Amino acid sequence: MTCMSVIDDEILACVRGCYGAVRVRDLNLTRTERRHLKRLVEAGELVAHPHGVVSLPRTDPPVVLARIHGGLLTCQAAMRHYGLPVAREREQIHIVVPGSGRFSALGREVLHPDRNQPRPSPTSFPVQPLPEALARFLRCHVQDDSP
């Protein structure tokens, strides 16, 4: 059993408060806290991801991808979040990103750059509001058999 310090507990609580994934720069850590964060990653309490994102080990991959890209889940991932029915069980994760999209896709995710999209808060769930997500979903997922 490992002894966790108060600083470790506070860092883990902050990451939990960000739905399990957050950019390290959004934590505004001191030098000492950054060392503790590094130890938490080495101990397996946190997982390091590209572009300075850390997450709890079992955080949903779509949430981690949204944090990596600094965007919000949209299209089918947003429809699932809001409990709306979708035609297919598995599909690529779509993320709306602010500006011109600084980062390229890391895997099979689809990035939708949007200059009007503000940078999301690290403490809110990274999903686009329902009206915008539904509009994007309808534009992005045109079916061949639709009227």
Side-chain angles (χ1 to χ4, degrees):
M1 182 158 84
T2 61
C3 287
M4 302 229 357
S5 74
V6 173
I7 294 174
D8 293 348
D9 290 338
E10 289 175 358
I11 292 171
L12 289 171
C14 284
V15 175
R16 274 191 225 81
C18 295
Y19 293 91
V22 65
R23 287 186 179 191
V24 174
R25 73 173 181 220
D26 290 334
L27 294 174
N28 297 319
L29 300 175
T30 65
R31 190 179 205 185
T32 301
E33 290 168 331
R34 284 194 303 270
R35 283 195 299 267
H36 280 265
L37 179 91
K38 184 178 177 187
R39 286 190 208 122
L40 287 169
V41 169
E42 290 168 353
E45 297 286 327
L46 291 174
V47 178
H49 299 281
H51 307 298
V53 172
V54 293
S55 71
L56 298 171
R58 288 184 273 289
T59 303
D60 286 339
V63 173
V64 174
L65 282 172
R67 297 292 192 214
I68 288 171
H69 292 293
L72 300 171
L73 298 172
T74 191
C75 295
Q76 193 165 344
M79 298 304 103
R80 276 202 179 85
H81 172 76
Y82 290 114
L84 297 174
V86 290
R88 298 183 203 152
E89 284 300 313
R90 293 279 178 203
E91 192 172 287
Q92 293 172 310
I93 298 165
H94 290 236
I95 301 169
V96 60
V97 294
S100 60
R102 297 180 315 194
F103 305 129
S104 60
L106 300 174
R108 293 178 33 96
E109 72 269 23
V110 176
L111 303 179
H112 296 282
D114 186 345
R115 294 186 195 285
N116 297 321
Q117 181 66 43
R119 189 171 140 82
S121 166
T123 57
S124 63
F125 191 79
V127 66
Q128 194 173 30
L130 182 58
E132 291 90 352
L134 184 57
R136 189 174 299 279
F137 177 76
L138 293 172
R139 284 191 311 265
C140 189
H141 296 275
V142 177
Q143 300 292 327
D144 293 334
D145 58 353
S146 61

